[in-house]
Amino acid sequence: MTIRRIHSGGPFEAKIGYCRAVVAGGFVHVAGTVGQGDTVADQCRAALDVIGKALQEAGSGFDKAVRVNYYLPDAAEFEPCWPILAEVFGDNPPAATMIECKLIDPKYRIEIELTALA
């Protein structure tokens, strides 16, 4: 089995020792991704943009997503993201889980982790 690693060039990849995505075994595994912005909705859109670029580089897309995990420090903030997620996944929604937890920095309101078919 071949493994292909996709790097986004972010400073934490080398510092922490991870990459944005790994293509292996017929799947694209996208690392937990945060986005920039003032609101949870802005951060959700920005994170999905980064994820979308990784999926595209892997030869995949949101239409091939099979699993997504959402991590939020405040579960009450998830609802503003729902229309964005419905638009991105459209008629191809993946299995999904939302977990309330602390994130690496309090400025982040959402982190998204995704697995898709390659």
Side-chain angles (χ1 to χ4, degrees), residues 43-88:
Q43 290 186 18
C44 181
R45 278 189 186 90
L48 289 168
D49 184 52
V50 172
I51 292 167
K53 289 174 184 170
L55 289 172
Q56 184 176 22
E57 188 173 336
S60 187
F62 287 111
D63 61 323
K64 295 182 179 179
V66 296
R67 183 68 154 141
V68 64
N69 293 317
Y70 305 103
Y71 304 98
L72 293 95
D74 182 357
E77 288 195 334
F78 193 39
E79 191 169 352
C81 299
W82 295 354
I84 300 162
L85 301 172
E87 178 185 328
V88 167

Side-chain angles (χ1 to χ4, degrees), residues 17-112:
Y18 78 98
C19 58
R20 176 61 42 217
V22 174
V23 182
F27 290 94
V28 182
H29 304 274
V30 182
T33 305
V34 295
Q36 302 301 312
D38 295 328
T39 68
V40 69
D42 292 341
Q43 290 186 18
C44 181
R45 278 189 186 90
L48 289 168
D49 184 52
V50 172
I51 292 167
K53 289 174 184 170
L55 289 172
Q56 184 176 22
E57 188 173 336
S60 187
F62 287 111
D63 61 323
K64 295 182 179 179
V66 296
R67 183 68 154 141
V68 64
N69 293 317
Y70 305 103
Y71 304 98
L72 293 95
D74 182 357
E77 288 195 334
F78 193 39
E79 191 169 352
C81 299
W82 295 354
I84 300 162
L85 301 172
E87 178 185 328
V88 167
F89 293 110
D91 293 333
N92 303 291
T97 301
M98 192 285 295
I99 300 167
E100 186 177 54
C101 63
K102 289 184 180 182
L103 298 180
I104 195 164
D105 187 308
K107 71 181 177 184
Y108 297 122
R109 309 307 313 148
I110 188 167
E111 184 170 343
I112 304 170

